[in-house]
Amino acid sequence: MTEIRFHAHIDELPAAAWDALRPDDNPFVSHAWLAALERTGCIRADWGWRAHHLGLYDDGQLVAAAPLYLKGNSHGEFVFDWSWASAWERAGGNYYPKLLNAVPYSPVPGPRLLAGIGSGAAARRQALVAAMRGFAERMQLSSVHANFLREDELPAFDAQWLARSDVQFHWHNHGYADFDAFLAALNHKKRKNIRQERAHVARAGLNIEMRGGSTLSAAEWRRVHALYESTFDAKGNHAALTRAFFSTLGETLGDTVQLAPARDHGEIIAMALFLQGDHALYGRYWGAQADIPGLHFELCYYRGIEHAIAHGLRRFEPGAQGEHKLARGFLPVRTHSRHFLVDEGFRAAVRTALAHEAEAVHDYTLDLQAHSPYARR
């Protein structure tokens, strides 16, 4: 007998069963990552997040699941629908709460419909999508959103769901022996610029390394959080990840977490935090107390590329946005989301707007591809 259940806490779902449903080892949908967010105060109703995870059960066994949240705003999602919310509320509706199938605070493409692999996976993904839509309709919510989906998940969404796409910049490993081999694949101008940027940082005399999360002390984690928090605050953004969250990372995820700290006379003055899977490296957070030319690029990009090469990782995803990444070897990749707006008239109006947006994104992608930093062969 198949049963649909919604859960107010990820810990209500068995960790081993949840993780076994992932089609790959993307760390952002791991039970440990999502549980750490909830246990350390990062998922809070007053910040617009309420866990509402979906489980599909067959004879009491978890056979499919989806990270799901009731959202009271659109912060921390990176697929921007503020204009939709404004339009619906001007028309007299309540846009929030809405239902969100995503990973909090992380614009990382990856599995969102956890249904295992092999026979029956496609049908289970469709069942998850139907359950999300059914819940929104029963509860008279405005909408359901599934962000940063894997391409093989897209067929689970029928034509009633609106398609949306954007662009990120990812680095791909073509079997480079080392960083110099990667540089050799770039055109002369880009290669020269990168070497100059790295030379600026080298002259600053900082001690830079890559450390596994399990090797960091409690004091080092406190310092990492302080740098993260101060950098967010300086830019007028909300630092949603708590000190407790950072402090638990080394224990809960171990060396899945990687840190590139830059030290001046032993003190960490800047850092970039990454997560690592079997085949990919994911750049997440940056923080610094010193303004050193090129240091951001060194920690967030070049150290990540070196690490990916050294560990035979296939790709490096440094995060959302940023055309400046193109000049540093990262190429445009399309991301995908799907959106179900319950009201038919509202859905039709947004569909029209998205058609124009899709044309612009397509043209933008073509323009980026025409400016590849790699040498033509």
Side-chain angles (χ1 to χ4, degrees), residues 185-259:
L186 301 176
N187 65 47
H188 173 74
K189 181 179 179 181
K190 300 299 187 292
R191 182 165 59 246
K192 178 181 177 181
N193 288 345
I194 290 174
R195 284 177 172 154
Q196 288 176 340
E197 285 179 343
R198 302 201 80 182
H200 283 309
V201 176
R203 285 194 290 271
L206 303 176
N207 180 9
I208 301 174
E209 57 185 342
M210 188 72 86
R211 296 272 302 276
S214 66
T215 70
L216 295 171
S217 69
E220 287 173 318
W221 276 120
R222 287 194 295 272
R223 180 61 177 158
V224 167
H225 178 263
L227 289 169
Y228 153 80
E229 188 175 48
S230 64
T231 299
F232 264 67
D233 290 345
K235 295 182 178 180
N237 296 323
H238 173 56
L241 302 183
T242 62
R243 177 185 289 184
F245 175 77
F246 275 78
S247 296
T248 195
L249 280 179
E251 298 175 8
T252 56
L253 278 86
D255 292 343
T256 295
V257 180
Q258 294 287 322
L259 187 80

Side-chain angles (χ1 to χ4, degrees), residues 14 17 21-22 35 71 80 103 110 112 145-146 173 197 199 203-204 246 260-261 274 319 336 357 364 371:
L21 294 172
R22 293 185 296 164
K71 284 303 305 298
F80 303 107
V103 174
R112 299 295 181 262
H145 309 262
N173 189 353
E197 285 179 343
R203 285 194 290 271
F246 275 78
F274 309 83
H336 305 279
E357 181 183 271
Y364 174 60
H371 293 85

Side-chain angles (χ1 to χ4, degrees), residues 57-70:
Y57 296 83
D58 191 355
D59 292 331
Q61 299 298 311
L62 186 69
V63 297
L68 209 58
Y69 300 87
L70 285 164

Side-chain angles (χ1 to χ4, degrees), residues 209-347:
E209 57 185 342
M210 188 72 86
R211 296 272 302 276
S214 66
T215 70
L216 295 171
S217 69
E220 287 173 318
W221 276 120
R222 287 194 295 272
R223 180 61 177 158
V224 167
H225 178 263
L227 289 169
Y228 153 80
E229 188 175 48
S230 64
T231 299
F232 264 67
D233 290 345
K235 295 182 178 180
N237 296 323
H238 173 56
L241 302 183
T242 62
R243 177 185 289 184
F245 175 77
F246 275 78
S247 296
T248 195
L249 280 179
E251 298 175 8
T252 56
L253 278 86
D255 292 343
T256 295
V257 180
Q258 294 287 322
L259 187 80
R263 299 177 190 267
D264 185 12
H265 295 91
E267 181 185 9
I268 301 176
I269 64 164
M271 65 82 197
L273 188 144
F274 309 83
L275 266 68
Q276 181 177 330
D278 287 342
H279 305 295
L281 184 70
Y282 306 91
R284 289 312 308 126
Y285 303 107
W286 145 264
Q289 71 173 33
D291 185 13
I292 296 174
L295 185 57
H296 175 266
F297 302 135
E298 177 67 28
L299 295 184
C300 295
Y301 305 149
Y302 305 143
R303 293 291 166 150
I305 290 173
E306 285 186 336
H307 183 83
I309 292 172
H311 290 80
L313 304 178
R314 296 173 187 169
R315 69 184 186 280
F316 171 28
E317 302 181 16
Q321 302 152 350
E323 291 181 11
H324 59 277
K325 295 170 184 156
L326 186 66
R328 293 165 177 87
F330 298 85
L331 295 178
V333 173
R334 296 290 286 270
T335 61
H336 305 279
S337 62
R338 292 294 182 266
H339 310 268
F340 178 73
L341 306 181
V342 173
D343 182 85
E344 292 184 9
F346 186 32
R347 192 188 319 150

Side-chain angles (χ1 to χ4, degrees), residues 25-44:
D25 69 336
N26 186 297
F28 296 93
V29 290
S30 70
H31 193 280
W33 176 265
L34 297 173
L37 289 171
E38 292 185 24
R39 294 170 188 163
T40 59
C42 302
I43 303 301
R44 296 165 44 172

